[in-house]
Coordinates of all heavy atoms in Angstrom, one line a residue:
M266 N -72.8 16.0 -126.0 CA -72.3 14.9 -125.3 C -73.5 13.9 -125.0 O -74.7 14.3 -125.0 CB -71.8 15.4 -123.9 CG -70.7 16.4 -123.9 SD -69.2 15.7 -124.6 CE -68.6 14.8 -123.2
K267 N -73.0 12.7 -124.8 CA -74.0 11.6 -124.6 C -73.7 11.1 -123.1 O -72.6 10.9 -122.7 CB -73.8 10.5 -125.5 CG -74.7 9.3 -125.3 CD -74.8 8.3 -126.5 CE -73.5 7.7 -126.9 NZ -73.7 6.6 -127.9
Y268 N -74.8 10.9 -122.4 CA -74.8 10.5 -121.0 C -75.6 9.2 -120.9 O -76.7 9.1 -121.2 CB -75.4 11.6 -120.0 CG -74.5 12.8 -120.1 CD1 -74.9 13.8 -121.0 CD2 -73.4 13.0 -119.3 CE1 -74.1 14.9 -121.1 CE2 -72.6 14.1 -119.3 CZ -72.9 15.1 -120.3 OH -72.2 16.2 -120.4
L269 N -74.8 8.1 -120.4 CA -75.4 6.8 -120.3 C -75.6 6.5 -118.8 O -74.7 6.6 -118.0 CB -74.4 5.7 -120.8 CG -74.0 5.9 -122.3 CD1 -72.8 5.1 -122.6 CD2 -75.1 5.7 -123.2
L270 N -76.8 6.3 -118.4 CA -77.2 6.1 -117.0 C -77.3 4.5 -116.7 O -78.1 3.8 -117.4 CB -78.5 6.8 -116.7 CG -79.1 6.6 -115.3 CD1 -78.1 7.3 -114.2 CD2 -80.5 7.2 -115.2
Y271 N -76.5 4.1 -115.8 CA -76.6 2.6 -115.4 C -77.0 2.4 -113.9 O -76.6 3.2 -113.1 CB -75.1 2.0 -115.5 CG -74.6 1.9 -116.9 CD1 -74.0 3.0 -117.5 CD2 -74.8 0.7 -117.6 CE1 -73.5 2.8 -118.8 CE2 -74.3 0.6 -118.9 CZ -73.7 1.7 -119.5 OH -73.2 1.5 -120.7
R272 N -77.9 1.5 -113.7 CA -78.3 1.1 -112.3 C -77.4 0.0 -111.9 O -77.2 -1.0 -112.5 CB -79.8 0.7 -112.3 CG -80.2 0.3 -111.0 CD -81.7 -0.2 -110.8 NE -82.4 -0.3 -112.0 CZ -82.5 -1.5 -112.7 NH1 -82.0 -2.6 -112.2 NH2 -83.3 -1.6 -113.8
S273 N -76.9 0.1 -110.6 CA -76.1 -1.1 -110.1 C -77.0 -1.9 -109.2 O -78.0 -1.4 -108.6 CB -75.0 -0.5 -109.3 OG -75.4 0.0 -108.1
P274 N -76.9 -3.2 -109.2 CA -77.6 -4.1 -108.4 C -77.2 -4.0 -106.9 O -77.9 -4.7 -106.0 CB -77.4 -5.5 -108.9 CG -76.0 -5.4 -109.6 CD -75.9 -3.9 -110.0
G275 N -76.2 -3.3 -106.5 CA -75.8 -3.2 -105.2 C -74.9 -2.0 -105.1 O -75.3 -0.9 -105.5
S276 N -73.6 -2.2 -104.7 CA -72.7 -1.1 -104.6 C -72.3 -0.7 -106.0 O -72.1 -1.6 -106.9 CB -71.5 -1.5 -103.9 OG -70.4 -0.6 -104.0
I277 N -72.0 0.5 -106.3 CA -71.6 1.0 -107.6 C -70.2 0.4 -108.0 O -69.9 0.3 -109.1 CB -71.6 2.5 -107.6 CG1 -71.5 3.0 -109.1 CG2 -70.4 3.1 -106.8 CD1 -71.7 4.5 -109.3
E278 N -69.5 0.0 -107.0 CA -68.1 -0.5 -107.2 C -68.1 -2.0 -107.4 O -67.0 -2.5 -107.8 CB -67.2 -0.1 -106.0 CG -67.1 1.4 -105.8 CD -66.3 1.7 -104.6 OE1 -66.7 1.5 -103.5 OE2 -65.2 2.3 -104.8
K279 N -69.2 -2.7 -107.2 CA -69.1 -4.2 -107.4 C -69.9 -4.6 -108.6 O -70.9 -4.1 -109.0 CB -69.7 -4.8 -106.1 CG -68.7 -4.5 -104.9 CD -69.1 -5.3 -103.7 CE -68.1 -4.8 -102.6 NZ -68.3 -5.4 -101.4
D280 N -69.5 -5.8 -109.2 CA -70.2 -6.4 -110.2 C -70.6 -5.4 -111.3 O -71.7 -5.4 -111.8 CB -71.5 -7.1 -109.8 CG -71.2 -8.3 -108.8 OD1 -70.2 -8.9 -108.9 OD2 -72.0 -8.4 -107.8
V281 N -69.6 -4.6 -111.8 CA -69.8 -3.6 -112.8 C -70.4 -4.2 -114.1 O -71.2 -3.6 -114.8 CB -68.5 -2.8 -113.1 CG1 -68.8 -1.8 -114.1 CG2 -68.1 -2.1 -111.8
T282 N -70.1 -5.5 -114.4 CA -70.6 -6.0 -115.6 C -72.1 -6.3 -115.4 O -72.7 -6.6 -116.5 CB -69.9 -7.4 -116.0 OG1 -69.9 -8.3 -114.9 CG2 -68.4 -7.1 -116.3
K283 N -72.7 -6.4 -114.3 CA -74.0 -6.6 -114.1 C -74.9 -5.3 -114.0 O -76.1 -5.3 -113.9 CB -74.3 -7.4 -112.8 CG -73.7 -8.8 -112.8 CD -73.9 -9.5 -111.6 CE -73.3 -11.0 -111.7 NZ -73.5 -11.7 -110.5
H284 N -74.2 -4.2 -114.1 CA -75.0 -2.9 -114.1 C -75.8 -2.8 -115.4 O -75.4 -3.2 -116.5 CB -74.0 -1.7 -114.0 CG -73.3 -1.7 -112.7 ND1 -72.6 -0.6 -112.3 CD2 -73.2 -2.6 -111.6 CE1 -72.1 -0.8 -111.1 NE2 -72.4 -2.0 -110.7
E285 N -77.0 -2.3 -115.2 CA -78.0 -2.2 -116.3 C -78.2 -0.9 -116.9 O -78.4 0.1 -116.1 CB -79.3 -2.8 -115.8 CG -80.4 -3.0 -116.9 CD -81.6 -3.7 -116.4 OE1 -81.6 -4.3 -115.3 OE2 -82.6 -3.5 -117.1
L286 N -78.1 -0.7 -118.1 CA -78.3 0.6 -118.8 C -79.8 0.9 -118.7 O -80.6 0.1 -119.1 CB -77.8 0.5 -120.3 CG -78.0 1.8 -121.1 CD1 -77.2 2.9 -120.5 CD2 -77.7 1.5 -122.5
V287 N -80.1 2.1 -118.2 CA -81.5 2.4 -118.0 C -81.9 3.7 -118.8 O -83.2 3.9 -119.0 CB -81.9 2.5 -116.6 CG1 -81.8 1.2 -115.8 CG2 -81.1 3.6 -115.9
A288 N -81.0 4.5 -119.2 CA -81.3 5.7 -119.9 C -80.1 6.2 -120.7 O -78.9 6.0 -120.3 CB -81.9 6.8 -119.0
V289 N -80.4 6.9 -121.8 CA -79.4 7.7 -122.5 C -79.9 9.1 -122.8 O -81.0 9.2 -123.2 CB -79.1 7.0 -123.9 CG1 -78.0 7.8 -124.7 CG2 -78.6 5.5 -123.7
E290 N -79.2 10.1 -122.4 CA -79.5 11.5 -122.6 C -78.5 12.2 -123.4 O -77.3 11.9 -123.3 CB -79.8 12.2 -121.2 CG -80.8 11.5 -120.4 CD -82.2 11.6 -120.9 OE1 -82.5 12.4 -121.7 OE2 -83.1 10.8 -120.5
F291 N -78.9 13.2 -124.1 CA -78.0 14.0 -124.9 C -78.1 15.4 -124.5 O -79.2 16.0 -124.3 CB -78.3 13.9 -126.4 CG -78.2 12.6 -126.9 CD1 -79.2 11.6 -126.9 CD2 -76.9 12.1 -127.5 CE1 -79.0 10.3 -127.5 CE2 -76.7 10.9 -128.0 CZ -77.7 10.0 -128.0
G292 N -76.9 16.1 -124.3 CA -76.9 17.5 -124.0 C -75.5 18.1 -124.1 O -74.5 17.4 -124.3
T293 N -75.4 19.4 -124.0 CA -74.1 20.0 -124.1 C -73.2 19.8 -122.9 O -72.0 19.8 -123.0 CB -74.2 21.6 -124.2 OG1 -75.0 22.1 -123.2 CG2 -74.9 21.9 -125.6
D294 N -73.8 19.6 -121.7 CA -73.1 19.3 -120.5 C -74.0 18.5 -119.5 O -75.1 18.4 -119.7 CB -72.4 20.5 -119.8 CG -73.4 21.6 -119.5 OD1 -74.6 21.3 -119.2 OD2 -73.0 22.8 -119.5
I295 N -73.4 18.1 -118.3 CA -74.1 17.4 -117.3 C -75.2 18.2 -116.8 O -76.3 17.7 -116.4 CB -73.3 16.8 -116.2 CG1 -74.0 15.8 -115.3 CG2 -72.6 18.0 -115.4 CD1 -74.3 14.6 -116.0
Y296 N -75.1 19.5 -116.7 CA -76.1 20.4 -116.1 C -77.4 20.4 -117.0 O -78.5 20.6 -116.5 CB -75.6 21.8 -115.9 CG -74.3 21.8 -115.1 CD1 -73.1 22.0 -115.6 CD2 -74.4 21.5 -113.7 CE1 -72.0 21.9 -114.7 CE2 -73.3 21.4 -112.9 CZ -72.1 21.6 -113.4 OH -71.0 21.5 -112.6
E297 N -77.2 20.4 -118.3 CA -78.3 20.4 -119.2 C -79.2 19.1 -119.1 O -80.4 19.2 -119.3 CB -77.8 20.5 -120.7 CG -79.0 20.8 -121.6 CD -78.5 21.0 -123.1 OE1 -77.3 21.6 -123.3 OE2 -79.2 20.7 -124.0
V298 N -78.6 18.0 -118.8 CA -79.3 16.7 -118.7 C -79.6 16.3 -117.3 O -80.2 15.3 -117.1 CB -78.5 15.6 -119.5 CG1 -78.4 16.0 -120.9 CG2 -77.2 15.4 -118.8
T299 N -79.3 17.1 -116.3 CA -79.5 16.7 -114.9 C -80.9 16.3 -114.6 O -81.2 15.3 -114.1 CB -79.0 17.8 -113.9 OG1 -77.5 17.8 -114.0 CG2 -79.4 17.5 -112.5
E300 N -81.9 17.2 -115.0 CA -83.2 17.0 -114.7 C -83.7 15.7 -115.4 O -84.5 14.9 -114.8 CB -84.1 18.2 -115.2 CG -85.5 18.1 -114.8 CD -86.3 19.3 -115.2 OE1 -85.7 20.4 -115.0 OE2 -87.5 19.2 -115.4
A301 N -83.3 15.4 -116.6 CA -83.8 14.3 -117.4 C -83.2 13.0 -116.7 O -83.8 12.0 -116.6 CB -83.3 14.4 -118.8
L302 N -81.9 13.1 -116.2 CA -81.3 11.9 -115.5 C -82.0 11.6 -114.2 O -82.3 10.5 -113.9 CB -79.8 12.2 -115.3 CG -79.0 12.2 -116.6 CD1 -77.5 12.7 -116.2 CD2 -78.9 10.8 -117.2
V303 N -82.4 12.7 -113.5 CA -83.1 12.5 -112.2 C -84.4 11.8 -112.4 O -84.8 10.8 -111.8 CB -83.2 13.8 -111.4 CG1 -84.2 13.7 -110.3 CG2 -81.8 14.3 -111.0
E304 N -85.1 12.3 -113.4 CA -86.4 11.7 -113.8 C -86.3 10.3 -114.3 O -87.1 9.5 -113.9 CB -87.1 12.6 -114.9 CG -88.5 12.2 -115.1 CD -89.1 13.1 -116.1 OE1 -89.0 14.4 -116.1 OE2 -89.9 12.6 -117.0
A305 N -85.3 10.0 -115.1 CA -85.1 8.7 -115.6 C -84.8 7.7 -114.5 O -85.3 6.6 -114.5 CB -83.9 8.6 -116.6
A306 N -84.0 8.1 -113.5 CA -83.7 7.2 -112.4 C -85.0 6.9 -111.6 O -85.2 5.8 -111.2 CB -82.6 7.8 -111.5
A307 N -85.7 8.0 -111.3 CA -87.0 7.8 -110.5 C -88.0 6.9 -111.3 O -88.6 6.1 -110.7 CB -87.6 9.2 -110.2
Q308 N -88.1 7.1 -112.6 CA -89.0 6.3 -113.4 C -88.5 4.8 -113.5 O -89.3 3.9 -113.4 CB -89.2 6.8 -114.8 CG -90.0 8.1 -114.8 CD -90.2 8.7 -116.2 OE1 -89.5 8.2 -117.2 NE2 -91.1 9.6 -116.3
D309 N -87.2 4.6 -113.5 CA -86.7 3.3 -113.6 C -87.0 2.5 -112.3 O -87.5 1.4 -112.3 CB -85.2 3.4 -113.7 CG -84.5 2.0 -113.6 OD1 -84.8 1.1 -114.3 OD2 -83.6 1.9 -112.6
L310 N -86.9 3.2 -111.2 CA -87.2 2.6 -109.9 C -88.7 2.3 -109.8 O -89.2 1.3 -109.3 CB -86.7 3.4 -108.7 CG -85.3 3.5 -108.5 CD1 -84.9 4.5 -107.5 CD2 -84.7 2.2 -108.2
S311 N -89.6 3.3 -110.1 CA -91.0 3.1 -110.1 C -91.5 1.9 -110.9 O -92.6 1.4 -110.7 CB -91.7 4.4 -110.4 OG -91.6 4.7 -111.7
G312 N -90.8 1.6 -112.0 CA -91.2 0.6 -112.9 C -90.7 -0.8 -112.5 O -91.1 -1.8 -113.1
M313 N -90.0 -0.9 -111.4 CA -89.5 -2.2 -110.9 C -90.6 -2.8 -110.0 O -91.2 -2.2 -109.2 CB -88.3 -2.0 -110.1 CG -87.1 -1.5 -111.0 SD -85.6 -1.1 -110.0 CE -85.0 -2.8 -109.8
P314 N -91.0 -4.1 -110.3 CA -92.1 -4.7 -109.6 C -91.9 -4.8 -108.0 O -92.9 -4.6 -107.3 CB -92.0 -6.3 -110.1 CG -91.2 -6.2 -111.3 CD -90.3 -5.0 -111.3
E315 N -90.6 -4.8 -107.5 CA -90.5 -4.9 -106.1 C -90.7 -3.5 -105.4 O -90.9 -3.4 -104.2 CB -89.1 -5.4 -105.7 CG -87.9 -4.5 -106.3 CD -87.4 -5.0 -107.6 OE1 -88.1 -5.5 -108.4 OE2 -86.1 -5.0 -107.8
Y316 N -90.8 -2.4 -106.2 CA -91.1 -1.1 -105.7 C -92.4 -0.6 -106.2 O -92.7 0.6 -106.0 CB -90.0 -0.1 -106.1 CG -88.6 -0.6 -105.6 CD1 -87.6 -0.5 -106.5 CD2 -88.4 -1.1 -104.4 CE1 -86.3 -1.0 -106.2 CE2 -87.1 -1.6 -104.0 CZ -86.1 -1.5 -104.8 OH -84.8 -1.9 -104.5
E317 N -93.3 -1.5 -106.6 CA -94.6 -1.1 -107.0 C -95.4 -0.4 -105.9 O -95.4 -0.9 -104.8 CB -95.4 -2.3 -107.5 CG -96.7 -2.0 -108.2 CD -97.4 -3.1 -108.7 OE1 -96.8 -4.1 -109.0 OE2 -98.7 -3.1 -108.9
G318 N -96.0 0.7 -106.2 CA -96.8 1.4 -105.2 C -95.9 2.3 -104.2 O -96.5 3.0 -103.4
C319 N -94.6 2.4 -104.5 CA -93.7 3.2 -103.7 C -93.5 4.5 -104.5 O -93.4 4.5 -105.7 CB -92.4 2.5 -103.4 SG -92.5 1.0 -102.5
Q320 N -93.2 5.6 -103.7 CA -92.8 6.8 -104.3 C -91.3 6.7 -104.6 O -90.5 6.1 -103.7 CB -93.1 8.0 -103.5 CG -94.6 8.3 -103.3 CD -94.8 9.7 -102.6 OE1 -93.9 10.2 -101.9 NE2 -96.0 10.2 -102.7
T321 N -90.8 7.3 -105.6 CA -89.4 7.3 -106.0 C -88.8 8.7 -106.3 O -89.6 9.5 -106.7 CB -89.1 6.3 -107.2 OG1 -89.8 6.8 -108.3 CG2 -89.5 4.9 -106.8
A322 N -87.6 8.8 -106.2 CA -86.9 10.1 -106.5 C -85.4 9.8 -106.7 O -85.0 8.6 -106.6 CB -87.1 11.1 -105.4
A323 N -84.7 10.9 -107.0 CA -83.2 10.7 -107.1 C -82.5 12.0 -106.9 O -83.1 13.0 -107.0 CB -82.9 10.2 -108.6
Y324 N -81.3 11.9 -106.4 CA -80.5 13.1 -106.2 C -79.8 13.4 -107.5 O -79.6 12.5 -108.3 CB -79.4 12.7 -105.1 CG -79.8 12.6 -103.8 CD1 -79.8 11.4 -103.1 CD2 -80.4 13.6 -103.0 CE1 -80.3 11.2 -101.8 CE2 -80.9 13.5 -101.8 CZ -80.8 12.3 -101.1 OH -81.2 12.1 -99.8
A325 N -79.4 14.6 -107.6 CA -78.7 15.1 -108.9 C -77.4 14.4 -109.0 O -76.8 14.1 -108.0 CB -78.6 16.6 -108.8
P326 N -76.9 14.2 -110.2 CA -75.6 13.6 -110.4 C -74.5 14.5 -109.7 O -74.5 15.7 -109.7 CB -75.4 13.6 -111.9 CG -76.7 13.8 -112.5 CD -77.5 14.6 -111.4
E327 N -73.4 13.8 -109.3 CA -72.2 14.4 -108.8 C -71.0 13.7 -109.5 O -71.1 12.6 -109.9 CB -72.1 14.1 -107.3 CG -73.2 14.6 -106.4 CD -73.0 14.1 -104.9 OE1 -72.2 13.2 -104.7 OE2 -73.6 14.7 -104.1
L328 N -69.9 14.4 -109.5 CA -68.7 13.8 -110.0 C -68.4 12.5 -109.2 O -68.6 12.6 -108.0 CB -67.5 14.8 -109.9 CG -67.4 15.8 -111.0 CD1 -66.3 16.8 -110.7 CD2 -67.2 15.2 -112.4
L329 N -67.9 11.5 -109.8 CA -67.5 10.3 -109.1 C -66.5 10.7 -108.0 O -65.6 11.4 -108.2 CB -66.9 9.3 -110.1 CG -66.7 7.9 -109.5 CD1 -68.1 7.3 -109.4 CD2 -65.9 7.0 -110.5
K330 N -66.8 10.2 -106.8 CA -66.0 10.6 -105.6 C -64.6 9.9 -105.8 O -64.5 8.8 -106.3 CB -66.7 10.1 -104.4 CG -67.9 10.8 -104.1 CD -68.6 10.3 -102.9 CE -70.0 11.0 -102.6 NZ -71.0 10.8 -103.6
P331 N -63.5 10.6 -105.4 CA -62.2 10.2 -105.6 C -61.9 8.9 -104.9 O -61.0 8.1 -105.4 CB -61.3 11.3 -105.0 CG -62.2 12.5 -104.9 CD -63.6 12.0 -104.8
F332 N -62.5 8.5 -103.8 CA -62.3 7.3 -103.1 C -62.8 6.0 -103.9 O -62.5 4.9 -103.5 CB -62.7 7.3 -101.7 CG -64.2 7.4 -101.5 CD1 -65.0 6.3 -101.5 CD2 -64.8 8.7 -101.3 CE1 -66.4 6.4 -101.4 CE2 -66.2 8.8 -101.2 CZ -67.0 7.6 -101.2
R333 N -63.6 6.3 -104.8 CA -64.3 5.1 -105.5 C -63.3 4.3 -106.3 O -62.4 4.9 -106.9 CB -65.4 5.5 -106.5 CG -66.6 6.3 -105.9 CD -67.5 5.2 -105.3 NE -68.7 5.8 -104.8 CZ -69.6 5.3 -104.0 NH1 -69.3 4.2 -103.4 NH2 -70.7 5.9 -103.8
K334 N -63.4 3.0 -106.3 CA -62.4 2.2 -107.0 C -62.8 2.0 -108.4 O -62.0 1.7 -109.3 CB -62.3 0.8 -106.3 CG -61.7 0.9 -104.9 CD -61.7 -0.5 -104.2 CE -61.2 -0.3 -102.8 NZ -61.5 -1.4 -101.9
V335 N -64.1 2.0 -108.7 CA -64.6 1.9 -110.1 C -64.2 3.1 -110.9 O -64.4 4.3 -110.5 CB -66.1 1.6 -110.1 CG1 -66.9 2.9 -109.6 CG2 -66.6 1.3 -111.5
K336 N -63.7 2.9 -112.1 CA -63.3 4.0 -113.0 C -64.1 4.1 -114.2 O -63.9 4.9 -115.1 CB -61.7 3.8 -113.4 CG -60.9 3.8 -112.2 CD -61.0 5.0 -111.3 CE -60.1 4.9 -110.1 NZ -60.5 5.8 -109.0
R337 N -65.1 3.2 -114.3 CA -66.0 3.2 -115.5 C -66.8 4.5 -115.6 O -67.2 4.9 -116.7 CB -66.9 2.0 -115.5 CG -67.9 1.9 -116.5 CD -68.8 0.6 -116.3 NE -69.7 0.5 -117.4 CZ -70.6 -0.5 -117.5 NH1 -70.6 -1.4 -116.6 NH2 -71.4 -0.6 -118.5
Y338 N -67.2 5.0 -114.5 CA -68.1 6.2 -114.5 C -67.5 7.5 -114.3 O -66.4 7.6 -113.6 CB -69.2 6.0 -113.4 CG -70.0 4.6 -113.6 CD1 -70.0 3.6 -112.7 CD2 -70.8 4.4 -114.7 CE1 -70.6 2.5 -112.9 CE2 -71.5 3.3 -114.9 CZ -71.4 2.3 -114.0 OH -72.1 1.1 -114.2
D339 N -68.1 8.5 -114.8 CA -67.7 9.9 -114.7 C -68.4 10.6 -113.5 O -67.9 11.4 -112.9 CB -67.8 10.7 -116.0 CG -67.0 10.0 -117.1 OD1 -65.8 10.0 -116.9 OD2 -67.7 9.6 -118.1
Y340 N -69.7 10.1 -113.4 CA -70.6 10.7 -112.4 C -71.3 9.6 -111.7 O -71.4 8.5 -112.1 CB -71.6 11.6 -113.0 CG -71.1 12.8 -113.8 CD1 -70.8 12.7 -115.1 CD2 -70.8 14.0 -113.1 CE1 -70.2 13.8 -115.8 CE2 -70.3 15.1 -113.8 CZ -70.0 15.0 -115.2 OH -69.4 16.0 -115.8
E341 N -71.9 9.9 -110.5 CA -72.7 9.0 -109.7 C -73.9 9.7 -109.2 O -73.9 11.0 -109.1 CB -71.9 8.4 -108.6 CG -71.4 9.4 -107.6 CD -70.6 8.6 -106.5 OE1 -71.2 7.7 -105.9 OE2 -69.4 9.0 -106.4
M342 N -75.0 9.0 -109.0 CA -76.2 9.5 -108.4 C -76.9 8.4 -107.6 O -76.5 7.2 -107.8 CB -77.1 10.2 -109.4 CG -77.6 9.2 -110.5 SD -78.5 10.1 -111.8 CE -79.9 10.8 -111.0
T343 N -77.8 8.9 -106.7 CA -78.5 7.9 -105.9 C -80.0 8.0 -106.2 O -80.5 9.1 -106.1 CB -78.2 8.2 -104.4 OG1 -76.8 8.2 -104.2 CG2 -78.9 7.2 -103.5
G344 N -80.6 6.9 -106.4 CA -82.0 6.8 -106.5 C -82.6 6.4 -105.1 O -81.9 5.8 -104.3
I345 N -83.8 6.9 -104.9 CA -84.4 6.8 -103.6 C -85.8 6.2 -103.7 O -86.6 6.6 -104.6 CB -84.6 8.1 -102.8 CG1 -83.3 8.8 -102.8 CG2 -85.1 7.9 -101.4 CD1 -83.5 10.4 -102.6
V346 N -86.1 5.1 -103.0 CA -87.4 4.5 -102.9 C -88.0 4.8 -101.5 O -87.3 4.5 -100.5 CB -87.3 3.0 -103.2 CG1 -88.7 2.4 -103.1 CG2 -86.7 2.7 -104.5
Y347 N -89.1 5.3 -101.5 CA -89.8 5.6 -100.2 C -90.9 4.6 -100.0 O -92.0 4.7 -100.5 CB -90.5 7.0 -100.2 CG -89.5 8.1 -100.5 CD1 -89.5 8.7 -101.8 CD2 -88.8 8.7 -99.5 CE1 -88.5 9.7 -102.1 CE2 -87.9 9.7 -99.8 CZ -87.8 10.2 -101.1 OH -86.9 11.2 -101.3
P348 N -90.6 3.5 -99.2 CA -91.6 2.5 -99.0 C -92.8 3.0 -98.2 O -92.7 3.8 -97.3 CB -90.9 1.4 -98.2 CG -89.5 1.8 -98.1 CD -89.4 3.2 -98.5
A349 N -94.0 2.5 -98.7 CA -95.2 3.0 -98.0 C -95.3 2.5 -96.5 O -95.7 3.3 -95.7 CB -96.5 2.4 -98.7
H350 N -94.8 1.4 -96.2 CA -94.7 0.8 -94.9 C -93.3 0.4 -94.6 O -93.0 -0.8 -94.8 CB -95.7 -0.3 -94.7 CG -97.1 0.0 -95.2 ND1 -97.9 0.9 -94.4 CD2 -97.9 -0.3 -96.2 CE1 -99.1 1.0 -95.0 NE2 -99.1 0.3 -96.1
G351 N -92.5 1.2 -94.1 CA -91.1 0.8 -93.8 C -90.5 2.0 -93.0 O -90.9 3.1 -93.0
D352 N -89.5 1.6 -92.2 CA -88.7 2.6 -91.4 C -87.7 3.3 -92.1 O -87.3 4.4 -91.7 CB -88.1 1.8 -90.2 CG -89.2 1.2 -89.3 OD1 -90.3 1.8 -89.2 OD2 -88.9 0.3 -88.5
E353 N -87.2 2.7 -93.2 CA -86.0 3.2 -93.9 C -86.3 3.3 -95.4 O -87.0 2.5 -96.0 CB -84.8 2.4 -93.7 CG -84.3 2.3 -92.2 CD -83.1 1.4 -92.0 OE1 -82.5 0.9 -93.1 OE2 -82.7 1.3 -90.9
N354 N -85.7 4.4 -96.0 CA -85.8 4.5 -97.4 C -84.7 3.5 -98.1 O -83.7 3.2 -97.4 CB -85.4 5.9 -97.9 CG -86.5 6.9 -97.4 OD1 -87.6 6.5 -97.2 ND2 -86.0 8.1 -97.2
I355 N -85.0 3.1 -99.3 CA -84.0 2.2 -100.0 C -83.3 3.1 -101.0 O -83.8 3.9 -101.8 CB -84.8 1.2 -100.8 CG1 -85.6 0.3 -99.7 CG2 -83.9 0.3 -101.6 CD1 -86.8 -0.5 -100.4
L356 N -81.9 3.1 -100.9 CA -81.0 3.8 -101.8 C -80.4 2.9 -102.9 O -79.9 1.8 -102.5 CB -79.9 4.5 -100.9 CG -80.4 5.3 -99.8 CD1 -79.2 5.9 -99.0 CD2 -81.3 6.5 -100.3
I357 N -80.5 3.4 -104.0 CA -79.9 2.6 -105.2 C -78.8 3.4 -105.9 O -79.1 4.6 -106.2 CB -81.0 2.2 -106.2 CG1 -82.2 1.5 -105.6 CG2 -80.5 1.4 -107.4 CD1 -81.9 0.2 -105.0
D358 N -77.7 2.8 -106.1 CA -76.6 3.5 -106.8 C -76.8 3.5 -108.3 O -77.1 2.5 -108.9 CB -75.3 2.9 -106.5 CG -74.8 3.1 -105.1 OD1 -75.2 4.1 -104.4 OD2 -73.9 2.4 -104.6
Y359 N -76.5 4.7 -108.9 CA -76.4 4.8 -110.5 C -75.1 5.4 -110.8 O -74.5 6.2 -110.1 CB -77.6 5.7 -110.9 CG -78.9 5.1 -110.8 CD1 -79.7 5.1 -109.7 CD2 -79.5 4.6 -112.0 CE1 -81.0 4.6 -109.6 CE2 -80.7 4.0 -112.0 CZ -81.5 4.0 -110.8 OH -82.8 3.5 -110.8
G360 N -74.6 4.9 -111.9 CA -73.3 5.5 -112.5 C -73.7 6.1 -113.9 O -74.5 5.6 -114.6
I361 N -72.9 7.2 -114.2 CA -73.2 7.9 -115.4 C -71.9 7.9 -116.2 O -70.8 8.3 -115.7 CB -73.7 9.3 -115.1 CG1 -75.0 9.2 -114.4 CG2 -73.9 10.0 -116.5 CD1 -75.4 10.5 -113.9
V362 N -71.9 7.5 -117.5 CA -70.7 7.6 -118.3 C -71.0 8.7 -119.3 O -72.1 8.9 -119.9 CB -70.6 6.3 -119.2 CG1 -69.5 6.4 -120.2 CG2 -70.3 5.1 -118.3
E363 N -70.0 9.6 -119.4 CA -70.1 10.7 -120.3 C -69.2 10.5 -121.6 O -68.1 10.1 -121.5 CB -69.5 12.0 -119.6 CG -69.5 13.2 -120.5 CD -69.0 14.4 -119.7 OE1 -67.8 14.4 -119.4 OE2 -69.7 15.4 -119.4
K364 N -69.9 10.5 -122.7 CA -69.1 10.3 -124.0 C -69.4 11.4 -125.0 O -70.5 12.0 -125.0 CB -69.6 9.0 -124.6 CG -69.3 7.7 -123.9 CD -69.7 6.6 -124.7 CE -69.2 5.3 -124.0 NZ -69.4 4.1 -124.8
A365 N -68.4 11.6 -125.8 CA -68.6 12.6 -127.0 C -69.6 11.9 -127.9 O -69.5 10.6 -128.1 CB -67.3 12.9 -127.7
E366 N -70.5 12.6 -128.5 CA -71.4 12.0 -129.5 C -70.8 11.3 -130.7 O -69.9 11.7 -131.3 CB -72.5 13.1 -129.9 CG -73.4 13.4 -128.8 CD -74.4 14.4 -129.2 OE1 -75.2 14.1 -130.0 OE2 -74.4 15.5 -128.7

């Protein structure tokens, strides 16, 4: 299977055409590529100029929640930016498309 990781500029449900492809991973199932997807999301965030010097991480992918209006994605995950000087972490939505190779 092929897994395409997209970063959304805001909500995962809005402006889907503006979502940016940030990684492509290959594996037999989502569990095999989970670690690579988490690392790809964290690296994507750390490479963004606005988050320079911040620590980054990501939660593992989950099936797209049933209440979501967007149907483009099969899975979703959240990237996290830990600002050095800030009261709140910054959360970034990611969507994952699963395709047969």
Side-chain angles (χ1 to χ4, degrees):
M266 301 296 284
K267 178 166 58 170
Y268 296 89
L269 307 165
L270 179 65
Y271 290 87
R272 178 180 11 93
S273 71
S276 169
I277 194 172
E278 297 179 293
K279 297 190 178 179
D280 297 324
V281 176
T282 59
K283 294 181 180 177
H284 292 191
E285 186 173 341
L286 179 66
V287 296
V289 178
E290 301 294 339
F291 295 90
T293 56
D294 58 28
I295 190 71
Y296 303 107
E297 186 175 335
V298 297
T299 292
E300 189 174 322
L302 290 169
V303 167
E304 187 175 320
Q308 286 180 352
D309 173 56
L310 292 171
S311 69
M313 297 176 74
E315 60 265 39
Y316 304 133
E317 186 176 338
C319 298
Q320 289 187 347
T321 59
Y324 291 112
E327 303 176 339
L328 282 171
L329 192 69
K330 293 177 181 67
F332 65 84
R333 296 283 193 199
K334 294 176 186 168
V335 64
K336 302 301 177 204
R337 174 181 186 180
Y338 300 119
D339 300 297
Y340 299 92
E341 61 182 301
M342 60 189 293
T343 303
I345 311 160
V346 178
Y347 302 101
H350 305 287
D352 294 336
E353 297 181 0
N354 297 333
I355 301 164
L356 304 177
I357 309 293
D358 288 340
Y359 286 83
I361 302 167
V362 175
E363 179 181 65
K364 290 186 172 187
E366 289 182 64

